[in-house]
Amino acid sequence: MNFYNLDIEEGVAAPECELGSYDLVIAAHVLHATTDLNVTIQNTRKLLKPGGKLVFVELVHPDRIQTGFAFGLLPGWWLSTEEYRQHSPCIPEQKWGELLGQNGFSGIDLVFEDFADVDYHRWSIMVSTAIESSPLSSNAQKVYVIASKDSVLSLEEAFSSELIREFFCIVLVEYDRSTVRYLDHQTYSVLQSLLQLAKGLPWLTKGGGQASMHPDLQIINGLFRVLRQENEQHHLVTLALEDTTDSNDRHVHHIIRTFEATALRMIERSYEPEYVETQGLVHSNRLIEANYLNQRIFQKTSQSSQSQRFGDGPPLKMNVRTPRLFDSLEFVEDTANLEPIASDEIEVEVQAVGINFKDCLTVLGRLDATTLGFECAGLVTRVANNSEFQPGDRVSMLGFETYRTYARSHIMRAIKIPDSLSFIEAASIPVTFCTAYYALCEVARIGLSDSILIHAASGGTGQAAIQIANNVGAEIFATVGSERKKKLLQDLYQIPADHIFYSRDTSFAQGVMRMTKARGVDVILNSSAGEKLAASWECIAPYGRFLEIGRKYVKSNRSLAMSPFLRNVSFSCIDLAAVAMDRPLLIQKCMRALRSLIVDGHIHPAQPLHTFGISEVEKAFRLLQSGESSGKIVVEVEKTAIRSTGTRLHVLVRH
């Protein structure tokens, strides 16, 4: 830090003090102790860059006897020569603002009082900004003041002037009351033309203050914002003044400053479009980033972390940090594998996880559930004694919460997989094929002479049902949502085009009844709701079996037409999660049957098989949510994926 002498009245400083080079000047109780404040302020302005700040402290109550009684004994107290400083060198804040505005400053930008109580208030810290001098152009100096008809110039008179394009118009028509709210047709036309023609237009109202009691005086703000947005050439400014009894002189000062600021900066398009007077000071709108709040939130929510390969750290499980947001999916440390394994359990190191729509609904908060993941494939790590499985066996498994490093399940919900089946393929099978097999073979007991209608047939469960129905020789009818999905079924399973219907409306019902000669179908695998469920229900043939796997309509407790039951039909709700939990032996039977079908080549994973890395799990969920996918979506657990370690471990990807 360097120190130099400065005579602020003469403007003389050491050669090292370069004029116009400083960003900040601080003056504490010194500016008043000069002979002429205009000269003092001008010399202070010479030190600052344009935009530089003057922060100064001054006594602002010249009438307080305590001030003069104490400092009046000093000779420097009586140096002032101006008429308004003959009894005291101190001046109020308003006068400081006037002098600053006349000598290259913005006036008073901010005031910090020593006491809020006026009885104790003595001095203030004031802040002002050095503005760049820019002389007003000849056109800008031409001003119309527009007020009521019995005053300076009315709206109509201003509009009729031939020189209106060259003038600034200071509009006071709303200074006493709202005009825009009660516009008649004639006044509207005049105002419309005036706003288009005037060179610049500061509009004054008494809608200022911290909480204005006149919302109708804010209408002009909305109008001006729209006009400025539509045409940058409109130099439209609003000044909302406080409605107080002793405000006339102050208002005149604010109006002059607003006009000057607008006219000076209009060419550079840097003028402020809106001003509001609050507690005697003019404010302009600002949106300022709250860095202190950002820092506090960061400190409260962030976790220390470092990059590490997914397979190198502790076991993990997937968690939803914020329900309904896919981007809040994260992996947190999992301690469940530290618990001893139960006598009927199997533990698997997960290599791949199948994604199901139930998982998607759980993340979105549309199901009253917290568990994520219902199927996986991997390597056996631990198993109870006297089991058919051994550590290292390749298995496919139904389980609960399978988005984790190590998943556990009942031993009857797992099957060994052949070497010809990859982990990704094996992870795509348990939910969809067990659902289809349990529904068609265990509940409906589908046979060679049966016909079946499969809704959403291009999806994972739909394709599983097609393959199982094909295997028993049933006649298949299907619904899909697009031509692309229709072609997929034709190419993969050779289903005739006249057996595939549109699923987005109820037209499929007419097609089914036409193709079956009004008999209907023996089995319906349904996942639709509302009118489409009702239309499907009407397609059931005598002795038919209706299999509801959607559950949405059932959970809503809606009514169902009873007349079809007269044809000896059944309506069954298929809930694989409940069966897996309550009937593990039945699930084992289904899975072993499926393994045999896979080994014999009668069934294969649904196509196409969409594979995502564990670090792309959000993208996988979004694809399923879009409804545009066919086949099955599987997440592969990549041990080489990069993730951050900490209390909450977010999985990152770097390719």
Side-chain angles (χ1 to χ4, degrees):
M1 181 179 292
N2 299 315
F3 296 88
Y4 307 104
N5 291 322
L6 170 66
D7 186 341
I8 196 62
E9 290 196 85
E10 298 296 333
V12 179
E16 292 83 359
C17 295
E18 183 180 350
L19 298 180
S21 63
Y22 293 94
D23 298 298
L24 176 66
V25 170
I26 300 174
H29 296 294
V30 294
L31 298 183
H32 72 274
T34 55
T35 57
D36 190 331
L37 286 180
N38 281 296
V39 174
T40 300
I41 294 173
Q42 290 169 12
N43 290 336
T44 304
R45 172 64 186 85
K46 293 175 183 178
L47 296 169
L48 287 165
K49 299 176 181 178
K53 299 293 182 181
L54 169 63
V55 179
F56 63 105
V57 185
E58 288 292 345
L59 295 163
V60 292
H61 286 285
D63 55 339
R64 296 292 167 85
I65 190 171
Q66 300 98 320
T67 304
F69 185 81
F71 297 103
L73 300 176
L74 303 175
W77 187 255
W78 305 105
L79 295 176
S80 52
T81 58
E82 306 95 332
E83 291 186 7
Y84 58 84
R85 292 207 300 158
Q86 290 303 302
H87 299 289
S88 173
C90 303
I91 57 175
E93 295 158 357
Q94 181 181 341
K95 188 63 178 179
W96 277 113
E98 293 176 8
L99 294 174
L100 289 164
Q102 294 167 6
N103 293 283
F105 284 91
S106 60
I108 299 296
D109 299 335
L110 291 172
V111 174
F112 303 95
E113 299 177 346
D114 57 346
F115 284 97
D117 193 327
V118 66
D119 292 333
Y120 298 97
H121 177 37
R122 295 291 182 272
W123 52 266
S124 295
I125 300 174
M126 291 165 277
V127 182
S128 186
T129 304
I131 59 177
E132 190 167 10
S133 59
S134 176
L136 295 174
S137 65
S138 58
N139 285 342
Q141 295 182 44
K142 299 177 181 179
V143 180
Y144 275 151
V145 178
I146 304 174
S148 59
K149 291 184 179 181
D150 57 352
S151 185
V152 186
L153 195 67
S154 68
L155 281 171
E156 292 79 3
E157 291 168 339
F159 171 62
S160 63
S161 172
E162 296 179 357
L163 301 176
I164 189 66
R165 295 179 184 274
E166 302 178 8
F167 278 71
F168 263 73
C169 297
I170 299 178
V171 183
L172 306 176
V173 295
E174 287 199 308
Y175 187 73
D176 296 319
R177 63 183 180 86
S178 175
T179 300
V180 178
R181 180 181 178 184
Y182 304 102
L183 286 178
D184 55 31
H185 179 73
Q186 180 182 359
T187 307
Y188 172 79
S189 299
V190 171
L191 178 60
Q192 184 183 36
S193 300
L194 180 64
L195 293 176
Q196 292 175 336
L197 297 176
K199 185 178 183 64
L201 200 148
W203 187 288
L204 286 302
T205 71
K206 282 190 177 178
Q210 290 182 331
S212 174
M213 301 301 293
H214 307 287
D216 49 348
L217 294 176
Q218 309 300 324
I219 298 174
I220 195 66
N221 282 332
L223 174 61
F224 278 19
R225 288 170 186 171
V226 172
L227 293 176
R228 286 191 300 264
Q229 186 71 21
E230 294 180 348
N231 188 345
E232 294 182 353
Q233 302 303 318
H234 287 306
H235 303 112
L236 306 175
V237 177
T238 57
L239 172 59
L241 299 165
E242 286 183 297
D243 188 7
T244 56
T245 55
D246 58 344
S247 58
N248 287 342
D249 291 341
R250 189 176 72 252
H251 285 181
V252 170
H253 171 68
H254 292 332
I255 292 169
I256 293 173
R257 282 194 59 198
T258 302
F259 161 70
E260 290 177 343
T262 304
L264 284 169
R265 300 173 183 172
M266 185 183 69
I267 298 176
E268 302 161 355
R269 303 184 188 278
S270 61
Y271 66 92
E272 297 287 347
E274 295 179 9
Y275 296 92
V276 178
E277 182 191 22
T278 303
Q279 296 182 347
L281 294 177
V282 175
H283 302 260
S284 56
N285 289 333
R286 285 291 185 276
L287 185 63
I288 301 173
E289 186 171 6
N291 291 321
Y292 76 95
L293 190 57
N294 288 342
Q295 184 65 24
R296 184 171 180 83
I297 292 174
F298 176 78
Q299 292 172 349
K300 291 289 185 180
T301 60
S302 65
Q303 305 289 338
S304 58
S305 63
Q306 62 183 16
S307 295
Q308 188 174 335
R309 283 160 43 111
F310 189 86
D312 293 345
L316 307 174
K317 67 177 180 179
M318 194 164 75
N319 177 64
V320 184
R321 186 174 66 254
T322 305
R324 297 180 291 279
L325 295 177
F326 284 132
D327 58 6
S328 72
L329 291 173
E330 63 182 3
F331 284 84
V332 298
E333 186 171 346
D334 183 14
T335 58
N337 72 307
L338 300 178
E339 299 175 5
I341 195 165
S343 59
D344 57 356
E345 277 188 328
I346 183 174
E347 182 184 79
V348 172
E349 183 181 9
V350 177
Q351 304 295 315
V353 182
I355 295 185
N356 297 285
F357 199 64
K358 183 178 179 181
D359 298 330
C360 189
L361 295 177
T362 300
V363 174
L364 293 174
R366 297 178 187 173
L367 287 182
D368 186 17
T370 57
T371 57
L372 282 174
F374 195 46
E375 62 185 341
C376 68
L379 296 169
V380 175
T381 53
R382 285 192 290 176
V383 69
N385 294 328
N386 302 319
S387 169
E388 63 178 291
F389 299 103
Q390 297 295 326
D393 285 346
R394 301 171 74 250
V395 297
S396 179
M397 183 175 78
L398 283 173
F400 298 91
E401 290 193 285
T402 55
Y403 292 97
R404 60 202 316 164
T405 306
Y406 297 100
R408 294 185 184 185
S409 187
H410 194 284
I411 201 167
M412 292 184 179
R413 295 196 288 259
I415 57 168
K416 295 179 182 179
I417 58 175
D419 293 338
S420 60
L421 206 63
S422 70
F423 286 122
I424 293 173
E425 292 173 322
S428 72
I429 289 174
V431 169
T432 54
F433 278 86
C434 277
T435 299
Y437 187 89
Y438 169 71
L440 270 59
C441 299
E442 295 295 325
V443 178
R445 300 188 183 278
I446 193 169
L448 177 63
S449 61
D450 286 329
S451 59
I452 181 173
L453 171 63
I454 302 172
H455 282 294
S458 66
T461 304
Q463 290 190 39
I466 288 173
Q467 294 181 60
I468 292 171
N470 260 334
N471 189 57
V472 299
E475 183 181 11
I476 299 171
F477 297 94
T479 66
V480 293
S482 68
E483 285 295 323
R484 176 178 60 82
K485 294 179 179 180
K486 179 178 180 180
K487 188 175 186 305
L488 176 71
L489 297 187
Q490 290 178 279
D491 294 343
L492 280 177
Y493 305 109
Q494 291 74 52
I495 299 177
D498 59 3
H499 280 49
I500 305 175
F501 309 106
Y502 189 55
S503 65
R504 303 296 186 184
D505 54 36
T506 59
S507 61
F508 65 84
Q510 298 174 358
V512 169
M513 299 306 285
R514 182 182 69 252
M515 295 299 298
T516 60
K517 296 181 173 52
R519 177 181 177 275
V521 290
D522 299 294
V523 179
I524 297 177
L525 187 66
N526 181 68
S527 56
S528 58
E531 293 181 352
K532 287 179 281 188
L533 184 148
S536 300
W537 182 230
E538 294 298 327
C539 294
I540 196 75
Y543 302 95
R545 290 84 75 197
F546 192 100
L547 309 168
E548 174 59 39
I549 62 173
R551 298 183 61 209
K552 179 180 179 182
Y553 199 78
V554 177
K555 290 190 70 174
S556 64
N557 201 27
R558 302 292 182 87
S559 60
L560 185 70
M562 293 290 104
S563 58
F565 285 111
L566 294 173
R567 301 196 294 271
N568 283 297
V569 302
S570 65
F571 187 108
S572 301
C573 181
I574 308 300
D575 185 352
L576 188 68
V579 177
M581 180 65 70
D582 302 330
R583 303 286 180 88
L585 190 61
L586 180 55
I587 287 294
Q588 185 182 55
K589 176 184 176 182
C590 294
M591 295 190 73
R592 286 179 173 178
L594 290 171
R595 186 184 187 281
S596 297
L597 290 172
I598 293 171
V599 171
D600 294 340
H602 296 306
I603 63 174
H604 57 76
Q607 300 297 320
L609 200 55
H610 306 277
T611 306
F612 293 85
I614 191 68
S615 53
E616 300 174 304
V617 66
E618 177 187 343
K619 188 185 298 185
F621 272 88
R622 292 192 185 279
L623 175 61
L624 184 60
Q625 183 195 29
S626 71
E628 298 299 321
S629 64
S630 300
K632 181 72 176 180
I633 302 174
V634 176
V635 171
E636 183 181 11
V637 179
E638 303 164 295
K639 297 299 186 292
T640 57
I642 304 297
R643 51 93 174 154
S644 55
T645 62
T647 304
R648 293 197 173 272
L649 309 175
H650 297 264
V651 176
L652 310 175
V653 61
R654 296 177 185 173
H655 294 298

